[in-house]
Amino acid sequence: MKRHLTVAIATGLTVALGVSGCGKGSSSDDGGSDGKSIKFVAAIYDDNTKPYWDALIKDFEAKNSGYKVQLEMVDWTQMDAKVKTYIQTKQAPDVLNYNAFSDFARDGLIYKASEVVSPSTLGDFTPTFVEQAKYNGEQYGLPFISSARLLFYNKTLFKKAGIAEAPKTWAEVRTDAEKVKKAGATGYGLPLGPEESQAEFYSWAMNNGGGWVDASGKWAINQPANVDTLTFLKGLTQAKLTQPNPETTDRKTVFNQFAQGKVGMAIGGPFTKAGFIDPVNKGLDFGVAPLPSKSGSEHNTLGVMDVLAAFKKSDGKNKEAIKKFLDFFYQKENTSRFLSKEGFLPVTRSAGDALSSDPYMKQFVDALPTSKFAPTSNPAWSAVAGAVKQDLGTSVAGKDPKKVLDDIQKTAEKSG
Amino acid sequence: MKLRERDAGAAARAPRPSALRRAGRALTPLLWLGPSLALITVVVLWPVFEMARTSLLKISSSGVTLGGNGTANYTDLFDEDDLVPVVLRTLGWVAGVVVTTMVLSLAIGQLLNARFPGRRVVRWTVIVPWAASVLMTSLIWKWMLDNYSGLVNRVLLDLHLIDEPVNWLAHPWQAMLWMMWVAVFVSLPFASFVILAGLQTIPGELYEAARVDGAGPLRMYLGITLPLLRPALLIASIINVINVFNSFPIIWAMTGGGPGHATDTTTTFMYKLAFYDQNVGESAAMAVVNFVLILVMVLLYLKAARWREEVR
């Protein structure tokens, strides 16, 4: 009877564990014990992403017999939750495609870049991006794609409103937006919803001398230049020169409206044409201009970089396979194929030349040297960006910009 | 000597089988209860324990556990300006959705219990919102309420009830009411079927007797139907309270708790603490508070409904 009981309990436990999908305590090395199989978690940028990786991996496995890459595609909206779960349950993939790396580096979870790519690959990265991929002076992240932001404007609407050229100063943005509004469209499309309000806000703040940190690298989110910027954006909203409710509008909504010819101006990236405009309205007559600044004298560009990070496994046996795979991906033709399919900018010198032949892409490639980045090498940045995403938009909906920025500053200081 | 030894042996041996048998008899129910007890331990008690344990840990933003954190997660949580409004909103959300659902379900239960042609079709129709994924239902409503191309605005504009499109989900109050409607919509099937089942257990003779005594329909409803429905109502509303309290997909899909925290409930707030603020420990503390809240709510409700009398 006792044995029956044990069996019953064991069965119950097994079923329960199966049902609850308990993965805690399972081996961290689930990619195969021979060190030749690795798991790669890739982010879904658009519909082209999965076919690209499928083809690349097939090619890689054919050329490196015995090596296996297990691919998992994760949507950006699920990514943060997934990554945190992987780490908590000690099931980190061998290679991860993500937008942050510094807290992994701080917690000793990932390899240094020099350990997982060959010296020639390492030397091919553009120095601007290498700087962004460092934590405590060491390069951990592998620059993967980059992107820049410029002002998109609808030429048809501008002509109708009697505007000759793209605005250079904030004052011109405002008057142009008024004219476009009189012509029957939304003047400026302002996405301050939770999707990417940190990028939108920084694109404006950096052209007013503002930013996330001061010269010494300390958080300076509630600095006067930022309050001033947010007050300007709030002014646009209250004068009804933007679409209704910027605080709940995401980028995709703004660009959907832009593509339909209903928005005069909006800030977009190289991916905007292929990802948002072409699928809706291929014939849209639009122009791309530098981001307007308050003074009109300097025009900074928001730079964005995603990275690949290679996770340490207990025995370091995965290093060889990771290196083979990453070096394969960073070959000129493989990287540039990804960039051109997805509409991103290069992070390596060799892939850079290939993209400059396209006049649309060239504008963004040319803007890269003036680009400023979010402080991604600070491990607290994800928490700060999270606070910005949740709360920044409420400032244009009625809250006091200074108070909103003060609160975010407080969160930032608490996070380190 | 020999005799005594044998006696002693016999005396010692005699009670043993009976003790074993008694123990065995006592353990027999365990054989049947064991698997479910084990299941409860593993899928209910263990996660609760893990949740409480996590709320006392310091967890880095990458997800690595750095060690104990004392009660710091709780003090951080209670320092959040948004906590009190979020908790109050959650209580309002639960009360609003559950009361509306129960009132509507009483009516729908009656309808489904009545005899009319096509009753089977109607019963199936009522089940549909339950069978469909809650996330899907929420997304469909989100699209219908869209500012630019939503069906709701189109219809209201065509009826000249509004002059320009309303961005329903961007205004906290309107958004809250629409989401409550969706929550009611997806809660109705379960509640009305529990009530239908309750109605079918009420013997027809009671109504006949009441009719003979000259009771009108209202009197019969208040005097027979409602009192006899109490167990069904109790079960339906408690399960509804728990479901609605923990409801995540509706709010997450429709407003994401925004603008700011204006439409967050404790469940979405908990998620944001973990994945926007990168603070898993504080999020776990929120989960513990949430757990205690719902426990207290259910106990208060059971006490108010005098459930012991029902169970007896």
Side-chain angles (χ1 to χ4, degrees):
Chain A
M1 180 174 290
K2 209 171 170 194
R3 188 191 291 169
H4 279 263
L5 190 64
T6 322
V7 169
I9 290 175
T11 317
L13 276 171
T14 319
V15 170
L17 285 173
V19 167
S20 65
C22 157
K24 200 141 190 168
S26 76
S27 154
S28 61
D29 201 2
D30 59 353
S33 53
D34 57 351
K36 286 191 159 187
S37 304
I38 55 170
K39 186 174 167 192
F40 172 41
V41 170
I44 301 175
Y45 290 92
D46 64 17
D47 294 345
N48 295 321
T49 324
K50 190 173 187 310
Y52 170 85
W53 287 119
D54 281 339
L56 184 93
I57 287 168
K58 210 171 151 198
D59 194 17
F60 170 77
E61 288 175 348
K63 287 179 181 154
N64 298 276
S65 69
Y67 288 91
K68 285 252 174 302
V69 178
Q70 188 203 337
L71 175 70
E72 185 178 336
M73 303 293 303
V74 178
D75 193 81
W76 272 117
T77 55
Q78 305 293 320
M79 200 61 159
D80 294 344
K82 279 259 186 181
V83 168
K84 205 156 287 192
T85 313
Y86 289 141
I87 310 248
Q88 262 280 293
T89 57
K90 301 190 168 58
Q91 293 189 333
D94 298 272
V95 179
L96 172 70
N97 165 200
Y98 199 39
N99 54 17
F101 68 94
S102 49
D103 49 358
F104 303 143
R106 178 198 58 200
D107 295 340
L109 298 172
I110 55 176
Y111 291 115
K112 285 178 193 155
S114 58
E115 294 178 274
V116 284
V117 289
S118 66
S120 65
T121 305
L122 202 59
D124 196 21
F125 291 123
T126 319
T128 332
F129 299 116
V130 172
E131 276 314 304
Q132 295 302 315
K134 282 183 176 172
Y135 171 72
N136 268 355
E138 284 277 359
Q139 186 188 347
Y140 283 88
L142 300 154
F144 175 61
I145 52 114
S146 69
S147 186
R149 298 292 155 89
L150 294 172
L151 184 76
F152 283 63
Y153 60 99
N154 183 322
K155 286 185 174 166
T156 317
L157 283 175
F158 267 43
K159 209 174 285 166
K160 202 171 149 195
I163 308 165
E165 52 171 13
K168 292 194 175 56
T169 66
W170 286 9
E172 285 171 18
V173 169
R174 190 165 173 134
T175 47
D176 288 355
E178 277 161 2
K179 286 178 191 164
V180 172
K181 193 192 172 194
K182 280 207 189 90
T186 299
Y188 178 74
L190 176 65
L192 284 185
E195 187 188 355
E196 259 214 336
S197 53
Q198 85 284 11
E200 177 74 19
F201 172 69
Y202 192 33
S203 300
W204 289 94
M206 66 166 64
N207 284 304
N208 186 28
W212 305 113
V213 290
D214 62 16
S216 65
K218 284 213 180 77
W219 294 113
I221 295 162
N222 54 355
Q223 59 178 293
N226 286 354
V227 178
D228 188 33
T229 306
L230 208 47
T231 310
F232 170 73
L233 294 176
K234 185 175 185 167
L236 287 184
T237 310
Q238 287 183 332
K240 295 194 187 299
L241 299 175
T242 65
Q243 84 287 1
N245 307 105
E247 71 278 12
T248 59
T249 314
D250 284 338
R251 187 178 67 190
K252 57 177 182 292
T253 314
V254 164
F255 268 97
N256 193 292
Q257 294 290 307
F258 185 84
Q260 293 178 40
K262 292 177 180 165
V263 173
M265 298 168 272
I267 293 177
F271 53 84
T272 304
K273 186 176 181 317
F276 294 93
I277 298 176
D278 286 352
V280 179
N281 183 4
K282 262 201 149 74
L284 187 79
D285 189 14
F286 68 94
V288 176
L291 295 179
S293 63
K294 187 167 188 193
S295 62
S297 54
E298 53 159 3
H299 300 283
N300 297 302
T301 303
L302 174 73
V304 179
M305 175 179 82
D306 287 348
V307 292
L308 296 177
F311 282 83
K312 289 180 187 166
K313 291 293 161 74
S314 46
D315 48 4
K317 256 196 297 193
N318 58 349
K319 231 192 267 183
E320 204 45 49
I322 292 176
K323 200 171 197 168
K324 271 200 183 334
F325 179 62
L326 290 178
D327 280 337
F328 186 75
F329 168 73
Y330 280 111
Q331 285 172 15
K332 183 179 152 191
E333 57 276 22
N334 288 338
T335 316
S336 53
R337 190 148 35 91
F338 184 84
L339 297 172
S340 57
K341 270 201 170 157
E342 304 282 345
F344 285 113
L345 304 181
V347 290
T348 53
R349 276 172 234 175
S350 59
D353 315 327
L355 274 131
S356 293
S357 55
D358 178 342
Y360 170 78
M361 293 304 268
K362 191 173 183 305
Q363 306 172 83
F364 292 95
V365 177
D366 290 349
L368 273 179
T370 62
S371 55
K372 291 191 173 206
F373 293 81
T376 46
S377 52
N378 184 332
W381 167 245
S382 329
V384 175
V388 174
K389 287 179 189 178
Q390 293 178 79
D391 295 324
L392 190 83
T394 55
S395 60
V396 297
K399 272 200 186 169
D400 175 30
K402 174 87 169 72
K403 164 94 173 86
V404 171
L405 291 173
D406 280 344
D407 285 349
I408 299 173
Q409 171 78 12
K410 219 163 63 184
T411 309
E413 283 168 4
K414 206 175 79 181
S415 316
Chain B
M1 178 81 173
K2 251 183 177 178
L3 191 84
R4 269 179 72 194
E5 209 177 77
R6 201 161 8 123
D7 273 353
R13 218 177 296 132
R16 263 176 74 198
S18 89
L20 200 93
R21 208 174 298 143
R22 234 184 296 135
R25 218 176 291 135
L27 281 175
T28 313
L30 252 188
L31 183 64
W32 313 112
L33 291 175
S36 36
L37 283 179
L39 200 74
I40 290 172
T41 312
V42 173
V43 301
V44 180
L45 297 179
W46 181 61
V48 170
F49 169 76
E50 273 292 315
M51 172 177 78
R53 198 177 66 95
T54 310
S55 74
L56 299 171
L57 290 178
K58 190 173 175 62
I59 294 175
S60 119
S61 57
S62 68
V64 174
T65 305
L66 300 175
N69 204 14
T71 53
N73 290 328
Y74 288 91
T75 46
D76 280 355
L77 176 68
F78 294 125
D79 276 348
E80 297 277 352
D81 293 340
D82 299 303
L83 182 68
V84 173
V86 163
V87 169
L88 291 178
R89 188 174 310 114
T90 310
L91 297 178
W93 154 262
V94 172
V97 173
V98 172
V99 169
T100 318
T101 306
M102 294 322 293
V103 170
L104 289 178
S105 301
L106 278 173
I108 295 175
Q110 285 293 343
L111 175 74
L112 297 182
N113 199 30
R115 284 175 192 284
F116 58 91
R119 179 171 77 164
R120 186 192 290 258
V121 178
V122 174
R123 283 188 178 179
W124 278 107
T125 319
V126 174
I127 291 189
V128 169
W130 194 13
S133 134
V134 176
L135 186 63
M136 196 175 87
T137 315
S138 317
L139 283 175
I140 290 174
W141 276 98
K142 184 188 176 172
W143 292 331
M144 292 206 296
L145 293 166
D146 186 79
N147 186 31
Y148 303 100
S149 40
L151 184 73
V152 172
N153 275 331
R154 191 70 262 154
V155 169
L156 292 178
L157 280 172
D158 288 350
L159 291 173
H160 299 288
L161 289 172
I162 51 176
D163 300 325
E164 54 175 14
V166 178
N167 201 355
W168 298 104
L169 295 177
H171 304 288
W173 271 107
Q174 294 166 2
M176 224 44 220
L177 289 177
W178 277 111
M179 291 194 295
M180 285 168 102
W181 157 244
V182 175
V184 167
F185 182 74
V186 299
S187 309
L188 279 178
F190 174 73
S192 22
F193 273 81
V194 171
I195 286 172
L196 173 62
L199 284 172
Q200 286 173 344
T201 62
I202 302 176
E205 298 89 64
L206 286 178
Y207 292 106
E208 272 167 41
R211 209 170 294 126
V212 171
D213 287 346
L218 186 69
R219 181 92 180 83
M220 282 200 276
Y221 189 76
L222 294 177
I224 301 174
T225 315
L226 266 189
L228 288 176
L229 267 184
R230 260 187 56 166
L233 277 175
L234 203 63
I235 295 294
S237 44
I238 287 183
I239 292 183
N240 206 217
V241 164
I242 296 174
N243 273 339
V244 173
F245 195 90
N246 288 326
S247 176
F248 179 77
I250 298 174
I251 299 176
W252 196 249
M254 290 178 71
T255 65
H261 289 290
T263 56
D264 267 327
T265 63
T266 48
T267 320
T268 54
F269 188 59
M270 192 192 312
Y271 184 87
K272 286 180 169 180
L273 284 175
F275 297 114
Y276 280 140
D277 298 313
Q278 314 286 336
N279 199 338
V280 175
E282 193 181 330
S283 177
M286 182 71 238
V288 171
V289 171
N290 208 26
F291 183 74
V292 171
L293 267 178
I294 194 161
L295 212 62
V296 169
M297 265 168 66
V298 170
L299 286 179
L300 282 179
Y301 183 82
L302 286 176
K303 196 163 159 41
R306 289 176 299 184
W307 69 295
R308 283 179 196 287
E309 291 168 30
E310 304 300 340
V311 172
R312 194 185 55 198

